[in-house]
């Protein structure tokens, strides 16, 4: 089973990613994927459509800053990109064997 501390970080990361998706792509379907195993790590991938003309909203990009800080606290890595009209957030957290 996933260590408690990493599970808490994963929960908060998904929570923030979904909040960001709701803010930047309201009403859109969001794809959330979690995968991993002990010794391999936990991968969290959240993606949503990029809606043209949607303003970034108050505090634009601060959500990503918070996600990066939480990910680093957990000893993980974070990347994000726009690909094929979707914003993709990819987080990897350590999961000891």
């Amino acid at each position: 089973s996933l260590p408690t501390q990493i599970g808490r970080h994963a929960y908060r990361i998904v929570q923030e990613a979904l909040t960001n998706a709701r803010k930047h792509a309201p009403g859109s379907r969001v794809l959330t994927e979690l995968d991993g195993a002990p010794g391999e790590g936990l991968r969290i991938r959240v993606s949503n459509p990029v809606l043209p003309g949607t303003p970034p909203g108050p505090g634009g990009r601060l959500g990503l800053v918070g996600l990066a800080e939480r990910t680093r606290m957990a000893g993980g890595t974070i990347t994000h990109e726009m690909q094929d009209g979707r914003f993709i957030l990819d987080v990897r957290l350590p999961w000891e064997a």
Side-chain angles (χ1 to χ4, degrees):
S1 78
L2 191 62
T4 303
Q5 190 68 13
I6 294 299
R8 279 191 205 116
H9 284 298
Y11 176 86
R12 295 303 304 252
I13 287 166
V14 170
Q15 183 181 43
E16 181 67 26
L18 292 175
T19 298
N20 289 348
R22 183 183 68 199
K23 184 191 320 184
H24 298 290
S28 297
R29 289 183 158 226
V30 178
L31 179 61
T32 304
E33 303 168 85
L34 287 93
D35 189 28
E40 293 178 14
L42 175 66
R43 180 180 185 202
I44 302 168
R45 188 170 195 250
V46 180
S47 66
N48 59 269
V50 176
L51 302 179
T54 303
R61 302 195 68 84
L62 289 180
L64 288 174
V65 171
L67 282 164
E69 288 173 357
R70 179 165 296 279
T71 300
R72 279 193 299 274
M73 277 191 334
T77 61
I78 183 171
T79 61
H80 55 85
E81 65 178 335
M82 301 238 211
Q83 184 179 60
D84 299 325
R86 295 188 70 80
F87 179 84
I88 301 169
L89 176 74
D90 196 353
V91 174
R92 301 196 184 240
L93 300 177
W95 184 353
E96 301 287 325

